Amino acid sequence: MDDTNEQVLKLELRLAQLDRVDACRGGFLTFVRAIWPEFITGSHHELVAQKLERVASGELKRLIVNMPPRHTKSEFASFLFPAWMIGKNPSMKIIQATHTTELAVGFGRKIKNLLEREDYRAIFPEAKLSMDSKASGRWDTDRGGMYYAVGVGSNLAGRGGDLIVIDDPHSEQTAMSAHGFDDAWDWYTGGPRQRLQPGAAIVVVMT
């Protein structure tokens, strides 16, 4: 009888684990809470998460998020959302751009490190880095996926993207310059917008 109860308990725990995995795969905020237990949800997080889920489903192809500093917009759009998308589709190609390459590479490092965490692997076991992925800003998955970090103004070198995230394209200095906005627009129209894979989405985040 004890063996039977133990087996039932193991099955119940396994079913609960599978339900949790399915919930994390299907809901962005559920994934965020699983990966970031200290996260406190605000109403604006729920709104942004709904929009990002529409991007993930293919329903929404263009999204602009404008919010003040310290509202978690970059943690969502440039870190947790790309990690969630790569988990759901390990063959996805992602281009991440910010006003400096260094900042974009920093996001790439955080995502790369997250992909190697046990709690992430428990949710997305299929999302694995390729063996030769060493650089934080330019790495691949073993399913043909890609992450490519660039600064605004940088050459994309023929790369294509299923998801392009542009986070704070203007630094405080370029925002104050006479040609800062024009330079960013010229780069966008001649670069990322020309690098879209069929059905690709663009997410822009700015203060």
Side-chain angles (χ1 to χ4, degrees):
M1 188 68 175
D2 289 341
D3 289 342
T4 301
N5 290 338
E6 185 177 349
Q7 290 297 321
V8 170
L9 180 60
K10 287 182 178 179
L11 286 173
E12 289 177 345
L13 290 173
R14 180 56 179 163
L15 286 173
Q17 182 183 22
L18 291 173
D19 287 343
R20 176 179 176 274
V21 167
D22 286 343
C24 289
R25 290 179 175 182
F28 176 64
L29 269 186
T30 305
F31 167 74
V32 170
R33 294 187 186 104
I35 294 299
W36 185 5
E38 302 82 10
F39 174 70
I40 299 174
T41 307
S43 58
H44 64 289
H45 295 128
E46 295 176 351
L47 179 60
V48 174
Q50 290 171 9
K51 301 296 183 182
L52 292 174
E53 288 178 354
R54 289 180 62 200
V55 172
S57 70
E59 180 185 352
L60 186 62
K61 302 297 186 184
R62 302 291 185 270
L63 174 64
I64 297 176
V65 178
N66 294 122
M67 288 193 296
R70 313 306 302 169
H71 275 63
T72 326
K73 58 185 182 297
S74 290
E75 287 294 300
F76 269 27
S78 295
F79 170 39
L80 295 166
F81 183 62
W84 188 59
M85 292 290 279
I86 281 282
K88 290 164 68 69
N89 180 8
S91 63
M92 173 167 282
K93 302 182 187 304
I94 297 176
I95 295 174
Q96 170 76 53
T98 65
H99 57 270
T100 65
T101 300
E102 181 181 4
L103 183 57
V105 169
F107 287 126
R109 182 180 298 108
K110 291 179 68 173
I111 298 170
K112 186 170 180 283
N113 290 340
L114 180 57
L115 263 62
E116 296 178 317
R117 277 172 40 179
E118 290 186 9
D119 52 353
Y120 181 90
R121 289 179 174 179
I123 300 169
F124 296 118
E126 302 87 1
K128 299 177 182 178
L129 296 168
S130 64
M131 295 298 293
D132 59 350
S133 288
K134 305 296 182 183
S136 295
R138 299 180 184 181
W139 45 263
D140 303 294
T141 70
D142 64 0
R143 300 290 184 89
M146 174 206 79
Y147 181 93
Y148 191 75
V150 296
V152 170
S154 300
N155 193 329
L156 291 176
R159 305 272 178 163
D162 299 302
L163 172 66
I164 297 177
V165 180
I166 304 174
D167 189 343
D168 277 340
H170 313 293
S171 67
E172 293 180 1
Q173 291 75 24
T174 57
M176 296 296 291
S177 70
H179 303 290
F181 289 99
D182 290 339
D183 291 344
W185 175 254
D186 290 342
W187 169 81
Y188 166 75
T189 54
R193 203 170 69 177
Q194 306 299 322
R195 303 296 180 185
L196 297 174
Q197 300 278 92
I202 300 175
V203 177
V204 179
V205 179
M206 292 187 291
T207 299

